[in-house]
């Protein structure tokens, strides 16, 4: 079971590192050379804040069968109520002059009031500049903030497995807490925690309330936003995840400029480079993203990428897997040229690619024959909405209606046309659509394709 609880990290063994490995890091006090991280933390912790929120959320409850007759045969199957909620989390000040704070989207989602508390207890109201639910990033702005401290942002691309890290956050509402650990793995994806995953894994002790907190190096540079843990009981088992700072910065720049993330699309399908694929292609490589298909008229096709290519780098940064590639591309904005390094026929080649925009509307027949007559587009609150529906069309005969929202296909959530296309392409046989229709949720089964 996976939980979105944010992170504080427990670092054991750091004192044994000594001064030889990183001489510039302030391990020792000036007084008696007792091992300590206190000098670094005194500089960094004022930039980590506690976040408390208030708001209301929709709560859906199934109406018991015995009461449905009151509403008639076409009445609602669910009762929807607005219920107030309160929440706690953490955040990091990345720009003191403008009062910008980065946190997780799930910390502030649905909030109507956001209160930021500094380490010294001073409190400020905050407003939302923009959010990206797919990567779980949110950018806040502190109102009328004074004497703020920002953290220096490091390059997560330079991290190595085994590097020591320190986490700062607000677990269980206790107040600011510091823990430590090491980088356990890099480029973690396929966990089902977020749509876009390229996590730093750490053995940090991550608990509820630490979401949005800072993961920093021993010299005080921010290299991650603590986001989630993997734990069967909701407690820490030494497997925590953080959003890399490089990814966070790219998203934040778009949120500042546009108020939203304008995600780019490369236009390829594929999978991780495996030993079997590398042997078949006679490639001297162990990691990368194997391209099985290049979509016609896509950015990749226009740049000259081909099926059979293995992408090993984006803008000079190593690509470890297809999930890694997906996260990098979806973090970058549209319209900006990027350099993609591929292995082709044993040679290394670099292509300049200009990412195109995600599909915003599509004739659904292109995705599945049973959807003929429907026009689809991403819904504001998640899922794919049917914006137009031809009367008497195949989609209408299957029971779809205008304004229906497709929230999942074969129990796999979809939030973009590209996601829907990918799920339908990989579906075999019967396709079950989970539809949100007004206050009701239902399943429709499609055949053919």
């Amino acid at each position: 079971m996976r939980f979105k609880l944010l992170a504080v990290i427990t670092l054991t063994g750091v004192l044994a590192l000594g001064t030889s490995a990183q001489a510039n890091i302030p391990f020792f006090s000036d007084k008696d050379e007792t091992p300590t991280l206190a000098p670094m933390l005194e500089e960094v912790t004022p930039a980590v804040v506690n976040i408390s929120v208030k708001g209301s959320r929709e709560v859906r409850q199934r109406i018991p069968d015995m009461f449905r007759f009151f509403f008639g045969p076409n009445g609602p199957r669910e009762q929807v109520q607005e219920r107030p909620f309160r929440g706690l989390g953490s955040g990091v000040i990345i720009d003191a002059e403008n009062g910008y704070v980065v946190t997780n989207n799930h910390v502030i989602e649905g909030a109507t009031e956001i209160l930021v508390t500094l380490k010294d207890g001073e409190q400020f109201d905050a407003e939302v500049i923009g959010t990206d639910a797919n990567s779980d990033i949110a950018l806040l702005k502190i109102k009328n903030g004074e004497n703020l401290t920002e953290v220096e942002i490091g390059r997560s691309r330079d991290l190595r497995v085994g590097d020591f890290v320190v986490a700062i956050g607000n677990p269980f509402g206790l107040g600011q807490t510091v823990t430590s650990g090491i980088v356990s793995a890099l480029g973690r994806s396929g966990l089902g925690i977020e749509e876009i995953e390229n996590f730093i894994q750490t053995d940090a002790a991550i608990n509820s309330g630490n979401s949005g907190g800072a993961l920093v190096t021993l010299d005080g540079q921010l290299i991650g936003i603590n986001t989630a843990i993997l734990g069967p009981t909701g407690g820490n088992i030494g497997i925590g995840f953080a959003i890399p700072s490089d990814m966070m910065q790219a998203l934040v720049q778009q949120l500042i400029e546009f108020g939203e993330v304008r995600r780019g699309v490369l236009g390829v399908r594929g999978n991780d480079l495996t030993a079997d694929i590398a042997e078949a292609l006679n490639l001297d490589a162990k990691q990368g993203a194997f391209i099985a298909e290049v979509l016609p008229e896509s950015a990749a096709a226009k740049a000259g990428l081909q099926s059979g290519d293995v992408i090993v780098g984006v803008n000079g940064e190593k690509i470890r897997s297809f999930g890694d590639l997906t996260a990098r591309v979806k973090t970058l904005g549209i319209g900006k040229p990027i350099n993609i390094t591929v292995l082709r026929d044993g040679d290394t080649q670099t292509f300049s690619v200009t990412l195109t925009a995600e599909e915003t509307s599509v004739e659904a027949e292109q995705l599945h024959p049973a959807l003929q007559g429907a026009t689809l587009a991403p819904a504001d609150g998640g899922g794919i909405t049917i914006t137009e529906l031809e009367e008497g069309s195949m989609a209408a005969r299957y029971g779809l209606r205008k304004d229906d929202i497709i929230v999942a296909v074969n129990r796999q959530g979809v939030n973009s046309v590209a996601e829907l296309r990918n799920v339908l392409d990989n579906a075999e046989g019967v396709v079950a659509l989970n539809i949100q229709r007004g206050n009701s949720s239902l399943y429709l089964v499609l055949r053919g394709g």
Side-chain angles (χ1 to χ4, degrees), residues 79-296:
Q79 182 180 23
V80 181
Q81 295 180 330
E82 289 281 337
R83 291 187 180 176
F85 74 91
R86 294 173 180 263
L88 296 172
S90 307
V92 187
I93 300 174
I94 61 168
D95 185 332
E97 182 178 353
N98 291 299
Y100 289 145
V101 176
V102 173
T103 185
N104 286 137
N105 176 68
H106 75 262
V107 170
I108 55 89
E109 187 175 17
T112 54
E113 297 180 37
I114 303 174
L115 186 67
V116 170
T117 304
L118 306 185
K119 180 185 177 182
D120 63 8
E122 191 170 7
Q123 295 184 325
F124 299 96
D125 291 327
E127 61 182 350
V128 177
I129 298 298
T131 64
D132 182 43
N134 292 336
S135 61
D136 202 15
I137 282 290
L139 180 66
L140 311 179
K141 181 179 175 65
I142 294 175
K143 298 179 181 179
N144 304 315
E146 296 180 352
N147 301 318
L148 302 178
T149 300
E150 65 186 51
V151 67
E152 182 180 353
I153 301 176
R155 295 179 8 143
S156 56
R157 74 195 75 169
D158 295 336
L159 282 176
R160 298 174 302 169
V161 173
D163 284 347
F164 286 107
V165 287
V166 175
I168 311 162
N170 178 30
F172 302 112
L174 291 173
Q176 192 175 91
T177 302
V178 177
T179 55
S180 57
I182 64 169
V183 173
S184 305
L186 296 167
R188 286 296 194 213
S189 61
L191 304 172
I193 298 172
E194 310 294 350
E195 179 196 340
I196 303 173
E197 299 180 342
N198 188 30
F199 293 121
I200 300 166
Q201 182 181 326
T202 177
D203 62 353
I206 299 175
N207 293 288
S208 179
N210 284 286
S211 294
L215 185 66
V216 302
T217 56
L218 295 188
D219 57 354
Q221 293 192 333
L222 179 72
I223 45 80
I225 301 296
N226 298 314
T227 297
I229 63 172
L230 187 66
T233 62
N236 172 62
I237 60 170
I239 302 177
F241 303 101
I243 299 168
S245 60
D246 293 346
M247 179 174 168
M248 177 273 292
Q249 274 193 295
L251 295 167
V252 164
Q253 288 171 2
Q254 294 186 62
L255 293 177
I256 293 173
E257 185 174 358
F258 308 116
E260 63 181 0
V261 174
R262 298 182 177 179
R263 222 174 294 287
V265 174
L266 181 59
V268 299
R269 296 175 183 154
N271 49 268
D272 298 348
L273 176 65
T274 63
D276 291 340
I277 294 174
E279 182 179 358
L281 297 177
N282 194 28
L283 296 176
D284 184 19
K286 295 180 175 63
Q287 293 181 319
F290 175 71
I291 300 178
E293 180 184 1
V294 177
L295 301 181

Side-chain angles (χ1 to χ4, degrees), residues 171-431:
F172 302 112
L174 291 173
Q176 192 175 91
T177 302
V178 177
T179 55
S180 57
I182 64 169
V183 173
S184 305
L186 296 167
R188 286 296 194 213
S189 61
L191 304 172
I193 298 172
E194 310 294 350
E195 179 196 340
I196 303 173
E197 299 180 342
N198 188 30
F199 293 121
I200 300 166
Q201 182 181 326
T202 177
D203 62 353
I206 299 175
N207 293 288
S208 179
N210 284 286
S211 294
L215 185 66
V216 302
T217 56
L218 295 188
D219 57 354
Q221 293 192 333
L222 179 72
I223 45 80
I225 301 296
N226 298 314
T227 297
I229 63 172
L230 187 66
T233 62
N236 172 62
I237 60 170
I239 302 177
F241 303 101
I243 299 168
S245 60
D246 293 346
M247 179 174 168
M248 177 273 292
Q249 274 193 295
L251 295 167
V252 164
Q253 288 171 2
Q254 294 186 62
L255 293 177
I256 293 173
E257 185 174 358
F258 308 116
E260 63 181 0
V261 174
R262 298 182 177 179
R263 222 174 294 287
V265 174
L266 181 59
V268 299
R269 296 175 183 154
N271 49 268
D272 298 348
L273 176 65
T274 63
D276 291 340
I277 294 174
E279 182 179 358
L281 297 177
N282 194 28
L283 296 176
D284 184 19
K286 295 180 175 63
Q287 293 181 319
F290 175 71
I291 300 178
E293 180 184 1
V294 177
L295 301 181
E297 303 301 318
S298 65
K302 293 175 182 177
L305 295 178
Q306 300 175 4
S307 58
D309 286 345
V310 177
I311 298 177
V312 294
V314 172
N315 287 340
E317 299 177 29
K318 184 178 180 181
I319 294 298
R320 300 178 177 85
S321 64
F322 201 86
D324 189 4
L325 172 67
T326 300
R328 298 288 179 92
V329 169
K330 287 192 173 184
T331 300
L332 299 169
I334 62 175
K336 297 179 181 179
I338 62 173
N339 292 320
I340 292 184
T341 303
V342 306
L343 295 178
R344 178 184 296 175
D345 299 327
D347 296 326
T348 300
Q349 301 183 35
T350 300
F351 296 84
S352 180
V353 181
T354 300
L355 299 178
T356 55
E358 283 189 299
E359 294 175 278
T360 56
S361 180
V362 65
E363 298 297 324
E365 187 177 5
Q366 301 174 25
L367 308 180
H368 195 283
L371 295 176
Q372 180 270 325
T375 301
L376 307 177
D380 291 338
I384 305 297
T385 188
I386 299 178
T387 57
E388 301 292 339
L389 185 65
E390 296 179 12
E391 187 176 351
S393 65
M394 182 69 74
R397 292 200 295 272
Y398 267 103
L400 290 168
R401 299 180 187 175
K402 187 177 182 295
D403 297 327
D404 279 353
I405 298 176
I406 302 172
V407 296
V409 178
N410 291 350
R411 298 187 181 276
Q412 184 171 342
V414 291
N415 289 298
S416 69
V417 174
E419 285 183 33
L420 179 61
R421 184 192 299 276
N422 185 59
V423 175
L424 289 174
D425 283 348
N426 293 318
E428 297 181 0
V430 173
V431 173

